[in-house]
Amino acid sequence: MNNEWPLWEIFIRSKQGLDHKHAGSLHAADAQMAIENARDVYTRRMEGVSIWVVESKYIRASNPDDASSLYDPANDKAYRHPTFYNLPDELKHM
Amino acid sequence: MNNSEKIFQDKIDREIKIEPKDWMPEQYRKTLIRQMSQHAHSEIVGMLPEGDWITRAPSLKRKAILIAKVQDEAGHGLYLYSGTETLNITREEMIDQLLTGKAKYSSIFNYPTLTWADIGAIGWLVDGAAIMNQIPLCRCSYGPYARAMIRICKEESFHQRQGFEILLTLSRGTDAQRNMAQDAINRWWWPSIMMFGPNDDASPHSAQSIAWKIKRFSNDELRQKFIDMCADQIKILGFTLPDDKLKWNKERNHYDFGEINWDEFWNVVNGNGPCNKERIAARIKAHEDGAWVREAAAAYAEKRKLKSQKAA
């Protein structure tokens, strides 16, 4: 039997209205322990109202080398940005 | 320089952070693994000299404060171990390196805490030196290390204030209390300024660390800044630093200070300090005594997983 506790990634919502942010990782034997450990390590000074824990092995990530090709198409579609449009100064509320 | 190296160095030069899955030179990875894991080990071993005084703190308030500080150090170690694991080394490997002496930890923790005043001196000087070193690290090129340092720095300033406040209280006490505080400062001063590492010209790896923006300031720069700061702060305590060469130099706009005993530094780094063996023995004992907890928790989790699979 493997005695090593798996690695978990921790996401914390610091305040109602904000989204969960990645805070770091920790080792725990199961999800309940992961949440308790996350509370102890990552919310020591009341920095959280909600904790998500995910075993690191379940995270799927994009390849950083693909970053430019992931974002290139967006970069040459300037018409998606408000500043692309030249409108008269007298026009209000837009 | 091949293409990957060019892209990597370009990110460094433009202050773009390197993240875990980015290509990086093997030596960058190795240097960071060594520095970050040794930083983590230092936090955990650093719990021991102060932990020693928890049962003997002079009041309930002081006990609660000291417990909180020591708990913080545990958390700092955990942030740093987690950050290091992003570079592809396991927690087990790192712990093994510490317990077998393959990895080092900050040699300041190889000194004993002889009196309550030592707790004050440690908070003021040792945490103070750590803060001076850690603030630039918040801007280091490796994302996880920088983010861990930001978290740590937020928590560290309470440590330093707690230490100074202990010494301030003692400075306003009896002669015996004042003498105890001055004695602690006398013993912790030189080891604290050694925390910044060897002189720049005796530090061969510094140039590469600076080129890779792991290190943002040189050892001597940070050490000078720290000495200038403490030489002013100690005036409020009414004590002295144990250095008869300490003198304000108005041409340099810094304090001149005496010769550091580098023999002592290397001797302690190499394992011959007053508490080296004791610190490692304590860590080995903690690891071995805790084995049943790790095994039991893993067995219980496995049992519950099988149970829920059967029920499904």
Side-chain angles (χ1 to χ4, degrees), chain A residues 24-70:
Chain A
S25 64
L26 52 79
H27 290 268
D30 59 27
Q32 186 189 348
M33 186 190 280
I35 289 176
E36 287 167 5
N37 288 356
R39 179 204 60 202
D40 290 346
V41 178
Y42 293 111
T43 73
R44 235 172 102 65
R45 285 166 169 77
M46 299 290 289
E47 301 106 73
V49 301
S50 167
I51 298 172
W52 286 352
V53 302
V54 183
E55 272 197 62
S56 309
K57 69 185 186 198
Y58 292 123
I59 304 267
R60 289 288 179 270
S62 61
N63 185 344
D65 292 337
D66 295 340
S68 58
S69 65
L70 260 183

Coordinates of all heavy atoms in Angstrom, one line a residue, chain A residues 24-70:
Chain A
G24 N -2.1 27.5 -4.0 CA -0.9 26.7 -3.8 C -1.3 25.3 -3.7 O -2.5 24.9 -4.1
S25 N -0.5 24.4 -3.2 CA -0.8 23.0 -3.1 C -0.5 22.5 -1.7 O 0.1 23.2 -0.9 CB 0.1 22.2 -4.2 OG 1.4 22.4 -3.9
L26 N -0.9 21.3 -1.5 CA -0.5 20.6 -0.2 C -0.8 19.1 -0.4 O -1.4 18.7 -1.3 CB -1.4 21.2 1.0 CG -2.9 21.2 0.8 CD1 -3.6 19.9 1.0 CD2 -3.5 22.2 1.8
H27 N -0.3 18.3 0.6 CA -0.5 16.9 0.6 C -1.6 16.5 1.6 O -1.6 17.1 2.7 CB 0.8 16.2 0.9 CG 1.8 16.2 -0.1 ND1 1.9 15.3 -1.1 CD2 2.8 17.1 -0.4 CE1 2.9 15.6 -1.9 NE2 3.4 16.7 -1.5
A28 N -2.5 15.6 1.3 CA -3.5 15.2 2.2 C -3.9 13.8 1.8 O -3.8 13.4 0.6 CB -4.7 16.1 2.2
A29 N -4.4 13.0 2.8 CA -4.8 11.6 2.5 C -6.1 11.5 1.7 O -6.4 10.6 0.9 CB -4.9 10.8 3.8
D30 N -7.0 12.5 2.0 CA -8.3 12.5 1.3 C -8.9 14.0 1.2 O -8.2 14.9 1.8 CB -9.3 11.6 2.0 CG -9.6 11.9 3.4 OD1 -9.4 13.1 3.8 OD2 -9.9 11.0 4.2
A31 N -10.0 14.1 0.6 CA -10.5 15.5 0.3 C -10.8 16.2 1.6 O -10.6 17.4 1.7 CB -11.8 15.4 -0.5
Q32 N -11.4 15.5 2.6 CA -11.7 16.2 3.9 C -10.5 16.8 4.5 O -10.4 17.9 5.0 CB -12.5 15.3 4.8 CG -13.0 16.0 6.0 CD -13.5 15.1 7.1 OE1 -13.8 13.9 6.8 NE2 -13.8 15.6 8.3
M33 N -9.4 16.0 4.6 CA -8.2 16.4 5.2 C -7.6 17.5 4.3 O -7.0 18.5 4.9 CB -7.2 15.2 5.2 CG -5.9 15.6 6.0 SD -4.6 14.4 5.8 CE -5.1 13.2 7.0
A34 N -7.7 17.5 3.0 CA -7.2 18.5 2.1 C -7.9 19.8 2.5 O -7.2 20.9 2.6 CB -7.4 18.2 0.7
I35 N -9.2 19.8 2.7 CA -9.9 21.1 3.0 C -9.5 21.6 4.4 O -9.2 22.8 4.5 CB -11.4 20.8 3.0 CG1 -11.9 20.6 1.5 CG2 -12.2 22.0 3.6 CD1 -13.4 20.3 1.4
E36 N -9.3 20.7 5.3 CA -8.9 21.1 6.7 C -7.5 21.7 6.6 O -7.2 22.7 7.2 CB -9.0 20.0 7.7 CG -10.5 19.7 8.0 CD -10.6 18.3 8.8 OE1 -9.6 17.7 9.1 OE2 -11.8 17.9 9.0
N37 N -6.6 21.0 5.9 CA -5.2 21.5 5.8 C -5.2 22.8 5.1 O -4.4 23.7 5.4 CB -4.3 20.5 5.1 CG -4.0 19.3 6.0 OD1 -4.4 19.2 7.1 ND2 -3.4 18.3 5.4
A38 N -6.0 23.0 4.0 CA -6.1 24.2 3.3 C -6.5 25.4 4.2 O -6.0 26.5 4.1 CB -7.0 24.1 2.1
R39 N -7.5 25.1 5.0 CA -8.0 26.1 6.0 C -6.8 26.5 6.9 O -6.6 27.7 7.1 CB -9.1 25.5 6.7 CG -9.7 26.4 7.8 CD -10.4 25.7 8.9 NE -9.5 24.8 9.5 CZ -9.8 23.7 10.2 NH1 -11.1 23.3 10.3 NH2 -8.9 22.9 10.7
D40 N -6.1 25.5 7.4 CA -5.0 25.8 8.3 C -3.8 26.5 7.6 O -3.2 27.4 8.2 CB -4.4 24.5 8.9 CG -5.4 23.8 9.8 OD1 -6.4 24.5 10.3 OD2 -5.2 22.6 10.2
V41 N -3.5 26.2 6.4 CA -2.3 26.7 5.8 C -2.6 28.0 5.0 O -1.9 29.0 5.1 CB -1.6 25.7 4.8 CG1 -0.4 26.3 4.1 CG2 -1.2 24.5 5.6
Y42 N -3.7 28.0 4.3 CA -4.0 29.1 3.4 C -5.0 30.1 3.8 O -5.3 31.1 3.1 CB -4.3 28.6 2.0 CG -3.1 27.9 1.3 CD1 -3.1 26.5 1.1 CD2 -2.0 28.6 0.9 CE1 -2.1 25.8 0.5 CE2 -0.9 27.9 0.3 CZ -1.0 26.6 0.1 OH 0.1 25.9 -0.5
T43 N -5.7 29.9 5.0 CA -6.6 30.9 5.4 C -6.4 31.3 6.9 O -7.3 31.5 7.7 CB -8.1 30.4 5.3 OG1 -8.4 29.4 6.2 CG2 -8.4 29.9 3.9
R44 N -5.1 31.4 7.3 CA -4.8 31.6 8.7 C -5.2 33.0 9.2 O -5.4 33.2 10.3 CB -3.3 31.5 8.8 CG -2.9 30.5 9.9 CD -1.4 30.3 9.9 NE -0.8 31.0 11.0 CZ -0.9 30.7 12.3 NH1 -1.8 29.8 12.7 NH2 -0.3 31.4 13.2
R45 N -5.3 33.9 8.3 CA -5.7 35.2 8.7 C -7.0 35.6 8.1 O -7.2 36.7 7.6 CB -4.6 36.2 8.4 CG -3.4 36.1 9.4 CD -2.2 36.8 8.9 NE -1.2 36.9 10.0 CZ -0.3 35.9 10.3 NH1 -0.4 34.7 9.8 NH2 0.6 36.1 11.3
M46 N -8.0 34.7 8.1 CA -9.3 34.9 7.6 C -9.4 35.2 6.1 O -10.2 36.0 5.7 CB -10.0 36.0 8.4 CG -10.2 35.8 9.8 SD -11.4 34.5 10.2 CE -12.9 35.4 9.7
E47 N -8.4 34.6 5.4 CA -8.4 34.9 3.9 C -9.3 34.0 3.1 O -9.0 33.6 2.0 CB -7.0 34.8 3.3 CG -6.0 35.7 4.0 CD -5.0 34.9 4.8 OE1 -4.2 34.2 4.3 OE2 -5.1 35.0 6.1
G48 N -10.5 33.6 3.6 CA -11.3 32.7 2.8 C -12.7 32.4 3.3 O -12.9 32.3 4.5
V49 N -13.7 32.4 2.3 CA -15.0 32.0 2.7 C -15.3 30.7 2.0 O -16.3 30.0 2.4 CB -16.1 33.1 2.3 CG1 -15.8 34.4 3.0 CG2 -16.2 33.2 0.8
S50 N -14.5 30.3 1.0 CA -14.8 29.0 0.4 C -13.5 28.4 -0.1 O -12.6 29.1 -0.6 CB -15.8 29.2 -0.8 OG -15.8 28.1 -1.6
I51 N -13.4 27.1 0.0 CA -12.2 26.4 -0.4 C -12.6 25.3 -1.4 O -13.5 24.5 -1.1 CB -11.5 25.7 0.8 CG1 -11.1 26.8 1.8 CG2 -10.3 24.9 0.4 CD1 -10.6 26.3 3.2
W52 N -11.9 25.2 -2.5 CA -12.0 24.1 -3.4 C -10.7 23.3 -3.4 O -9.6 23.9 -3.4 CB -12.2 24.5 -4.9 CG -13.6 25.1 -5.2 CD1 -14.7 25.1 -4.3 CD2 -14.0 25.7 -6.4 NE1 -15.7 25.7 -5.0 CE2 -15.3 26.1 -6.2 CE3 -13.3 26.0 -7.6 CZ2 -16.0 26.7 -7.3 CZ3 -14.0 26.7 -8.6 CH2 -15.4 27.0 -8.4
V53 N -10.8 22.0 -3.4 CA -9.6 21.2 -3.4 C -9.7 20.2 -4.6 O -10.8 19.6 -4.8 CB -9.3 20.4 -2.1 CG1 -9.2 21.4 -0.9 CG2 -10.3 19.3 -1.8
V54 N -8.6 20.1 -5.4 CA -8.7 19.1 -6.5 C -7.3 18.4 -6.5 O -6.3 19.0 -6.4 CB -8.7 19.9 -7.9 CG1 -8.8 18.9 -9.0 CG2 -9.9 20.8 -7.9
E55 N -7.4 17.1 -6.6 CA -6.1 16.3 -6.7 C -5.4 16.8 -7.9 O -6.0 17.0 -9.0 CB -6.3 14.8 -6.8 CG -6.4 14.1 -5.5 CD -6.3 12.6 -5.6 OE1 -5.2 12.2 -6.0 OE2 -7.2 11.9 -5.3
S56 N -4.1 17.2 -7.8 CA -3.3 17.8 -8.9 C -3.3 16.9 -10.1 O -3.3 17.5 -11.2 CB -1.8 17.9 -8.4 OG -1.8 18.6 -7.2
K57 N -3.5 15.6 -10.0 CA -3.4 14.8 -11.2 C -4.7 15.0 -12.1 O -4.7 14.6 -13.2 CB -3.3 13.3 -10.8 CG -4.6 12.7 -10.1 CD -4.3 11.2 -9.7 CE -5.6 10.6 -9.2 NZ -5.3 9.4 -8.3
Y58 N -5.7 15.6 -11.5 CA -6.9 15.8 -12.3 C -6.9 17.2 -13.1 O -7.8 17.4 -13.9 CB -8.2 15.7 -11.5 CG -8.4 14.3 -11.0 CD1 -8.5 14.0 -9.7 CD2 -8.5 13.2 -11.9 CE1 -8.7 12.7 -9.2 CE2 -8.7 11.9 -11.5 CZ -8.8 11.7 -10.2 OH -9.0 10.4 -9.7
I59 N -5.9 18.0 -12.8 CA -5.8 19.3 -13.5 C -5.3 19.0 -14.9 O -4.3 18.3 -15.1 CB -4.8 20.2 -12.8 CG1 -5.2 20.4 -11.4 CG2 -4.7 21.6 -13.6 CD1 -6.1 21.6 -11.1
R60 N -6.0 19.5 -15.9 CA -5.5 19.5 -17.3 C -5.2 20.9 -17.7 O -5.9 21.8 -17.5 CB -6.6 18.9 -18.3 CG -6.9 17.5 -18.1 CD -5.8 16.6 -18.6 NE -6.1 15.2 -18.4 CZ -5.7 14.5 -17.3 NH1 -5.1 15.1 -16.3 NH2 -6.0 13.2 -17.2
A61 N -4.0 21.1 -18.3 CA -3.5 22.4 -18.6 C -3.1 22.5 -20.0 O -2.7 21.5 -20.7 CB -2.3 22.8 -17.7
S62 N -3.2 23.7 -20.6 CA -2.7 24.0 -21.9 C -1.2 24.0 -21.9 O -0.6 24.2 -20.8 CB -3.2 25.3 -22.5 OG -2.8 26.4 -21.6
N63 N -0.6 23.8 -23.0 CA 0.9 23.8 -23.1 C 1.4 25.2 -23.3 O 1.0 25.9 -24.2 CB 1.3 22.9 -24.4 CG 2.8 22.8 -24.5 OD1 3.6 23.5 -23.8 ND2 3.2 21.8 -25.3
P64 N 2.3 25.7 -22.4 CA 2.7 27.1 -22.5 C 3.4 27.4 -23.8 O 3.3 28.5 -24.3 CB 3.8 27.2 -21.4 CG 4.0 25.9 -20.8 CD 2.9 25.0 -21.3
D65 N 4.0 26.4 -24.5 CA 4.6 26.7 -25.8 C 3.5 27.0 -26.8 O 3.9 27.6 -27.9 CB 5.3 25.4 -26.3 CG 6.5 25.1 -25.4 OD1 7.0 26.1 -24.8 OD2 7.0 24.0 -25.3
D66 N 2.3 26.6 -26.6 CA 1.2 26.9 -27.6 C 0.6 28.3 -27.3 O -0.3 28.7 -28.1 CB 0.1 25.9 -27.5 CG 0.6 24.5 -27.9 OD1 1.6 24.4 -28.6 OD2 -0.1 23.5 -27.5
A67 N 1.1 29.0 -26.3 CA 0.4 30.2 -25.9 C 0.2 31.2 -27.0 O -0.8 31.7 -27.2 CB 1.2 30.9 -24.8
S68 N 1.2 31.4 -27.9 CA 1.1 32.4 -28.9 C 0.0 32.0 -29.9 O -0.8 32.7 -30.4 CB 2.4 32.8 -29.6 OG 2.9 31.6 -30.1
S69 N 0.0 30.7 -30.3 CA -1.0 30.2 -31.3 C -2.4 30.2 -30.7 O -3.3 30.3 -31.4 CB -0.6 28.9 -31.9 OG -0.6 27.9 -30.8
L70 N -2.4 30.0 -29.4 CA -3.8 30.1 -28.7 C -4.4 31.5 -28.8 O -5.6 31.6 -28.9 CB -3.6 29.8 -27.2 CG -3.9 28.4 -26.7 CD1 -3.8 28.4 -25.2 CD2 -5.4 28.0 -27.0

